[in-house]
Amino acid sequence: MKSKFSPRILVAAVLLALGVGGTAFAMNPERCGAGGGRMEQRMAYGMKEMSRLHDELKLDARQEAIWQEADKAGKASMNEMRDQRRKQHEEVLAAVSQPGADLRAIARQMDALKDAGRKQHEANRDRWLAVYDSLDATQKEKARLFFKGKIEHMGQWGRFGPGGPPRN
């Protein structure tokens, strides 16, 4: 059966998922409840997996420079998003704590910050797609298979997440 998805779409989907994971990782663990540590562990595992892909691709000097730029910018972006979310949380909490707070204004402020985060995420995704564009056909196939495995693994979680359906 021929797949309707091109490798570029698969890579974009996984990069989108990684970006969403990066955004989730950027949240402060104190606000994530008991699972905050697990989220950080999953992110660390994802970074380790990307390191494995990096090793498998055997990048030339030009590709390596593009990879390092995307990696460095991605980490800086995650740190910036984490700081922005912490600041946003404090500002929103302070605003909503005031008697007579204008909830519409607070919602607009939250929407503006969400849009800024989306733009950061898109810029990060575009940097990683530039890495993908720099790969030769063999490297692109290795990347495709790597991300295919990631997508298959995510699909095994189903709609209930990694713990599976609720147990009775």
Side-chain angles (χ1 to χ4, degrees):
M1 179 170 95
K2 186 170 177 146
S3 174
K4 294 181 182 181
F5 297 108
S6 73
R8 184 177 288 254
I9 291 173
L10 289 174
V11 169
V14 170
L15 290 174
L16 177 64
L18 289 172
V20 170
T23 301
F25 174 72
M27 292 179 66
N28 196 353
E30 294 95 277
R31 288 182 275 137
C32 295
R38 285 191 305 258
M39 188 184 319
E40 289 178 352
Q41 288 173 347
R42 284 191 297 260
M43 190 63 186
Y45 178 76
M47 306 264 294
K48 182 178 177 182
E49 288 291 295
M50 285 297 284
S51 178
R52 184 175 60 85
L53 173 63
H54 174 266
D55 294 344
E56 287 178 19
L57 292 177
K58 300 185 182 352
L59 303 173
D60 64 27
R62 181 182 60 83
Q63 294 167 329
E64 181 67 28
I66 298 169
W67 179 287
Q68 292 303 324
E69 178 185 322
D71 187 49
K72 181 179 173 183
K75 288 175 182 173
S77 179
M78 278 194 294
N79 289 334
E80 185 179 334
M81 279 192 268
R82 181 180 52 247
D83 293 343
Q84 286 175 349
R85 294 224 186 263
R86 183 176 297 124
K87 182 180 175 189
Q88 173 190 5
H89 176 74
E90 292 167 359
E91 289 174 357
V92 169
L93 183 59
V96 81
S97 296
Q98 298 296 319
D102 182 1
L103 295 182
R104 287 186 190 281
I106 294 169
R108 281 191 300 271
Q109 176 188 10
M110 292 173 69
D111 288 344
L113 291 168
K114 185 177 178 181
D115 288 343
R118 181 185 49 78
K119 288 177 183 172
Q120 263 185 314
H121 165 74
E122 288 173 357
N124 194 42
R125 180 192 62 206
D126 290 344
R127 281 189 287 274
W128 283 106
L129 287 173
V131 172
Y132 176 76
D133 290 341
S134 75
L135 302 177
D136 64 30
T138 303
Q139 291 168 320
K140 284 182 179 180
E141 182 62 10
K142 287 179 183 180
R144 183 190 70 81
L145 293 173
F146 174 84
F147 288 116
K148 178 179 180 268
K150 292 289 177 203
I151 291 169
E152 288 172 346
H153 183 70
M154 286 189 299
Q156 292 171 357
W157 290 356
R159 68 176 223 220
F160 297 107
R167 291 178 180 87
N168 293 333

